[in-house]
Amino acid sequence: QVQLVESGGGLVQPGGSLRLSCAASGFTLDSYSIAWFRQAPGKQREGVSCISSSVGEIHYTDSVKGRFTISTDMAKNTVHLQMNSLKPEDTAVYYCAAGRFSYYCSNYIFDAYDYWGQGTQVTVSS
């Protein structure tokens, strides 16, 4: 069964940290572009960070640069998103996605991604 499963979300105080994980099964991530998206209540889904081995790109949206780090563990077929210095505006449901395409992942084109996780809630609040 092909799927992505996120974990690691939760409630954290401003300034705190969380590490999200996205485990793939049924396929291997090494030939895919992988992205993290998020959707806050009442807002559109937005791209947060992505990594593409096909074009050698790692990208972060401006609002998370210097605070978030995307990484891969291909031995475990897993992608992580380390989130530090969290702010209330980071509150959202976070989704990982995987797609096979040869252009820059920083375009964050939803339809380019073949597989999506179910999402994990991140709440930043005191």
Side-chain angles (χ1 to χ4, degrees):
Q1 183 180 4
V2 174
Q3 62 178 354
L4 293 171
V5 178
E6 299 104 334
S7 60
L11 172 64
V12 64
Q13 292 186 341
S17 298
L18 284 173
R19 187 191 194 208
L20 304 184
S21 297
C22 173
S25 59
F27 70 105
T28 54
L29 287 172
D30 59 359
S31 60
Y32 284 75
S33 294
I34 305 152
W36 287 94
F37 293 82
R38 67 185 179 186
Q39 188 165 18
K43 294 187 177 181
Q44 290 186 332
R45 190 172 298 190
E46 64 169 345
V48 175
S49 179
C50 67
I51 185 167
S52 172
S53 58
S54 64
V55 297
E57 180 189 27
I58 296 176
H59 180 268
Y60 301 95
T61 195
D62 286 346
S63 62
V64 307
K65 282 181 181 176
R67 300 189 297 122
F68 290 12
T69 303
I70 190 170
S71 63
T72 58
D73 182 350
M74 289 307 168
K76 296 183 178 180
N77 212 26
T78 299
V79 178
H80 301 288
L81 185 68
Q82 178 67 43
M83 307 187 296
N84 299 328
S85 302
L86 283 161
K87 304 175 181 180
E89 50 264 44
D90 294 318
T91 295
V93 177
Y94 284 70
Y95 301 88
C96 65
R100 299 182 74 171
F101 49 87
S102 58
Y103 45 87
Y104 289 107
C105 63
S106 53
N107 292 319
Y108 295 110
I109 300 173
F110 299 156
D111 290 345
Y113 291 88
D114 303 303
Y115 307 118
W116 289 81
Q118 82 287 354
T120 185
Q121 177 70 47
V122 171
T123 303
V124 185
S125 175
S126 55

